[in-house]
Amino acid sequence: MAESKHLPKVLLLGPPNVFQIHGKHFSQRFQFLKPFESPIPTDQFLAENCGSVQAMMCSGDTPVTSDLLRKLPAVRIIVTSSAGVNHIDLTECRRRGISVCNAGTVFSEDVADTAVGLVIDVMRRISAGDRFVRSGVWPVQGQYPLGSKVGGKRVGIIGLGSIGLEVAKRLEAFGCKISYNSRTKKSSIPFAYYPSVLELTINCDILVICCALTDQTRHMINKEVLYALGKEGVIVNIARGAIIDEKELVACLVDGKIAGAGLDVFENEPEVPNELFDLDNVVLSAHRAVFTEQSLWDIYELMSGNLEAFFANKPLLSPVIDG
Amino acid sequence: MASPPNPQPIGSPDPNDNLPLVLVHRLPQFTTTFNHWLQPHFRILEPSDPSFSIRSKTVRALFCMGPTPVNSETLDQFPSVECVVGTSAGIDHIDLAECNRRRVMVTNAGDAFSEDVADYAVGLLIDVLRRVSAADRFVRGGLWAVNGEYPLGSKVGGKRIGIVGLGSIGSMVAKRLEPFGCIIAYNSRRKKLNVPFPYYSTVQDLATNSDALILCCSLTSETRHLINKDVMMALGKKGVVINVGRGALVDEKELVEFLVQGEIAGAGLDVFEDEPNVPKELFGLDNVVLSPHKAVTTPESIERLRKAIVGNLDAFFANKPLLSQVKFE
């Protein structure tokens, strides 16, 4: 359409789910350059079309490396559809003065809801019970094994950012006792703080991972932490798969070293360790803790809002780096 | 030694003969017993006992296992019973009116289960709205790598939750859903004072103004098939039903029709009209979460039940007020 030529240009990589659903809305405000729709190789496309492009939109699993950024000499802003920014070379962005905007707090409630749903499901064996009924076995086998009470359990939240706080708020209402570990202690927060993940884990029954994936947090949940969680302990991960040493996690689950796990994320999505498929004490999800209709609309508004602010030289809405 | 209160039949020199006698009333299919809970404190009388025919006429307390019915025939059979102690929160299997007529007191599990049922109800709601079990099936089926993305869920926050029955379970459900940003309203037999949530005098009105109904009330002749075709139509195509009460609160045939036809959006069901039989049409639906009547079962709630049962029996034999008496209204 001729009108779109007047719209600001944005390089689109991924593309993120939100674009697949709200592409029409996005395209009314920006003109997107789409290498994935072009028959020529991406590098060539970028060289031919993106030399002067200032803005880029990407998904949470699009690697934005220094290599890629070198091919985009004019880029000044990257808007990702994810809360996580572990896929973006932030050091290079800071060096170049490139702003990076993420999902801000748009997903926090939905992710927290999923985290709590997974906690209840693992503890009370809801999905396992559903399988039991659907298999037609209830009339034959009678009673189903006891679950474990949620209320009164000690919940350790790793990363007390906006998601972690929403999880805490919800589980408090169930009568859980909340404690946390974060990079820094939060002075106004009434929950008990533990300076190390190991200490936190020793003192809790349920671990909920709500932190970012960085060099420091990669494989932070290792064999030592899992053993400290113990035979009655449960872990829920709605953050990034690589925060947990997945091989160790699988071994601990198979050997009964921990009681169960609720996992929305994995080290090598969409691959999920097959050993988990046979376990009744695990609840698996396809990295969709954010995916509700409402949150997809909210992220559309936030991402296009960030881009509009950029092009209008106004303050960005959700900057992680403000170049 | 003090002489035992009742004449002893020959051949039972049991030192426990001083303990009060409790009749254990259970359907034959209930092979798990709670006798080990009772025996430290009470003498147990079961049909297998050789003195059953005599003692059953004089025993004053009846321990009712699970949904074993207690009705006129039962009370005729055991004419001296003054107290029936149940093991569940729901006592629709006990003829409360008949007990009341004969001045027989009835106790239930009291609050032993309320927290765990409330936790479970919320778990079912999140599961249905956010498709947790369906996603688990999707991943276990190896479909993630093949099929890619999975259908969107529906946000929990902002949903209007209609709680049917604001007793101890219903109140705890409300308390848990508030931090999720849900908007709570309720229907109960009577409006409750000092409750901050809007009250609707009929379930129909509640359904019209709700996105999800959570059934937390007891099953009585008034509440049988309370959730019927009209209520489900009022709830609408995007509506969800969560049932942790009794299967018969819902017209199950209609519910299945509504779900199969897509006239409501989903359901989370821990109870059914004819357990353990579950309508097979539900097995193929992704928007339904099925549970084998286990919303109460955690080790903690089982222990609380034990305390409630022993406590009620102790109170009865000591002529003290019962802990969790259910009054006939």
Side-chain angles (χ1 to χ4, degrees), chain A residues 287-299:
Chain A
H287 198 159
R288 35 186 300 291
V290 309
F291 287 131
T292 63
E293 289 178 14
Q294 293 84 343
S295 70
L296 281 176
W297 178 257
D298 290 344
I299 189 65

Side-chain angles (χ1 to χ4, degrees), chain A residues 50 93 95 251 308 311:
Chain A
C50 301
C93 289
R95 197 186 67 74
E308 280 192 348
F311 287 118

Side-chain angles (χ1 to χ4, degrees), chain A residues 124 127 134 149 282 284 289, chain B residues 115 130 133 140 288 294-295:
Chain A
R124 301 300 305 279
S127 292
R134 278 173 204 258
K149 189 184 174 80
V282 173
L284 307 169
Chain B
E115 287 178 9
R130 301 300 305 280
S133 292
R140 275 172 204 259
V288 173
K294 62 184 194 67

